[in-house]
Amino acid sequence: MSWANAILDDFVMRAILAGIGLAFAAAPLGCFVVWRRMAYFGDATAHAAILGVALSLTFSVSIFMGVMGVALVMAFTVSTLSGRGFAMDTMLGVLAHSALAFGLVAASFLSGIRVDLMAYLFGDILSVMPRDLAVIWGGGALVVALLIWRWSALLTATLNPDLAYAEGVDPRREQMMLNVALAIVVAVAIKVVGALLITAMLIIPAAAARPLTSTPEVMALLAGGMACASVVGGIRAAWIFDTPTGPTIVCVVAGLFALSVTLGQLLARR
């Protein structure tokens, strides 16, 4: 079947819409992850998603709610323990891998429930159903609305915490806003790209847009455009080469990053 015919199939179109819904939310949020050097924090939150999946299946609740709940607990735990004698990277490493290990062990104890761990680790975008689309687009819209609402305050707190205090902005409150947005993105992304690839979709589009832009707003928009293009290109490449869809999407956006860095260096020399 040709790509032109395949794109008209319901499951392919749902996959594209799901990926674009995630890209619109993850890419602008990823800009703040890059600016604040929160990559490891995003990785820790994504790893904790597997524990959320296991708890959701154990207590028969929504996967979205379970993952988001565990992601929020991770965010609050990190915020509470930061500055109490623990190095941030060490603490995040301990929490990330502990949550992932406990999640995998908990999933092995689920009797009578078949758990496709590969789908949750690496995503299964081609199995997205209309109900999943509603969750992804609803969560994505909530994140975008939150970023638009707090954009100025978030930028100020990111650039200079002291200036933020002078302007009546609480940097810790803005950090918590970002943590909530990150938890929502992780919850909606686990079906699309899986826990191990969520951080890539947060960081790589933003990093790819950075060398080509001069303002935060343009960087966020360009990152979103690159992420959307990567989704469509990745799904098409996976269809042509019969490769795993989630990892292929990340490979495409990684290629865009390499191209962006090269182009940025050429422009700097000129």
Side-chain angles (χ1 to χ4, degrees), residues 78-94:
V78 171
S79 298
T80 301
L81 293 179
S82 61
R84 297 194 177 186
F86 295 95
M88 181 62 73
D89 58 344
T90 301
M91 181 174 59
L92 287 174
V94 170

Side-chain angles (χ1 to χ4, degrees), residues 116-131:
D116 186 0
L117 287 178
M118 290 297 290
Y120 289 114
L121 288 173
F122 298 103
D124 190 10
I125 192 173
L126 295 179
S127 68
V128 168
M129 302 303 291
R131 181 179 59 183

Side-chain angles (χ1 to χ4, degrees), residues 18-34:
I20 290 175
L22 170 62
F24 272 128
L29 179 62
C31 292
F32 285 99
V33 173
V34 170

